[in-house]
Amino acid sequence: MVEYDPKNQTEEYVTAVPVTVPIRVPQVPVPQLDISDDMIKTYNYRRSVMWFSGIDIFFSAIYCLYQPYFLIPLLIAFTGYYGAKNYNVRLVQCYFVYCVLVNIIGRLAYFFVYYHSLDGQSQSQHMFDFIWVMIATVISIWVCEIIYKFIKYYGKLSEREVLFLKQNAHSNYVHRRFYYV
């Protein structure tokens, strides 16, 4: 093994000198606006819609593992998440229609057709299922109400306000965060 001997070193030490160059990042001019209550509500409802569609994405992905049919709800939940994230109200409206048609009307219609086709003995055995379907439907109605409020408040904003929200979707600009429960 060779030991290090500083007296036998023939190479010079090289030291790095930092070079400072000013970096200029081109910025898009942001219109300066006063933040209105409608903007704050739109921003906060947007975050809630993103959370609910994210939960829907999670469960649809799990369902896709055993039934490929659930790929359709997974894609629709992605449209809701993407639409809320980018303030694209048309995609959020598609997600809203899906939530109303499938989660509320479809679930109730399927269960009542199935439940009423049973005899008295079987109906009493499926009472627990009926209660769970009712609880899930109430939760779906609540989620649809939040999605609807996001769409409603988005419609109240002007183009400049929407542009301001899109460019400044940061917690420094909207100081209050509420998750509507």
Side-chain angles (χ1 to χ4, degrees):
M1 183 168 167
V2 180
E3 291 190 25
Y4 175 72
D5 185 15
K7 294 178 185 174
N8 292 338
Q9 188 173 9
T10 58
E11 297 180 16
E12 295 181 18
Y13 284 107
V14 178
T15 57
V17 178
V19 177
T20 57
V21 177
I23 299 174
R24 295 184 186 227
V25 179
Q27 295 181 347
V28 178
V30 177
Q32 296 300 317
L33 295 174
D34 291 330
I35 297 175
S36 66
D37 286 338
D38 289 338
M39 290 172 68
I40 292 171
K41 288 180 182 178
T42 303
Y43 179 80
N44 291 324
Y45 278 120
R46 169 191 163 259
R47 303 228 358 124
S48 296
V49 170
M50 286 173 58
W51 271 101
F52 291 131
S53 59
I55 292 168
D56 202 3
I57 288 169
F58 175 74
F59 285 112
S60 294
I62 290 173
Y63 292 148
C64 279
L65 295 176
Y66 71 90
Q67 180 72 327
Y69 165 74
F70 284 100
L71 186 63
I72 295 169
L74 179 67
L75 294 176
I76 293 173
F78 269 122
T79 63
Y81 182 83
Y82 183 78
K85 183 177 180 184
N86 296 318
Y87 291 97
N88 187 337
V89 77
R90 298 290 180 221
L91 294 178
V92 175
Q93 287 172 341
C94 291
Y95 182 60
F96 175 73
V97 169
Y98 160 75
C99 287
V100 169
L101 291 178
V102 174
N103 288 340
I104 297 172
I105 296 171
R107 183 184 298 137
L108 286 176
Y110 175 75
F111 188 77
F112 279 118
V113 167
Y114 175 72
Y115 187 72
H116 286 297
S117 68
L118 299 173
D119 61 350
Q121 175 74 20
S122 298
Q123 281 184 351
S124 64
Q125 292 175 350
H126 289 280
M127 185 55 71
F128 184 73
D129 298 337
F130 177 73
I131 292 170
W132 278 113
V133 168
M134 288 291 112
I135 290 171
T137 304
V138 168
I139 292 171
S140 294
I141 290 170
W142 172 64
V143 169
C144 287
E145 178 186 6
I146 290 174
I147 296 170
Y148 173 75
K149 285 182 181 179
F150 169 74
I151 295 168
K152 182 179 82 170
Y153 282 112
Y154 182 87
K156 291 181 179 181
L157 298 180
S158 68
E159 252 184 69
R160 288 186 68 208
E161 291 172 330
V162 171
L163 179 65
F164 182 80
L165 283 176
K166 283 181 180 180
Q167 290 180 350
N168 297 311
H170 194 272
S171 61
N172 291 339
Y173 294 102
V174 181
H175 297 289
R176 296 179 287 178
R177 276 194 189 168
F178 298 102
Y179 294 103
Y180 293 94
V181 179

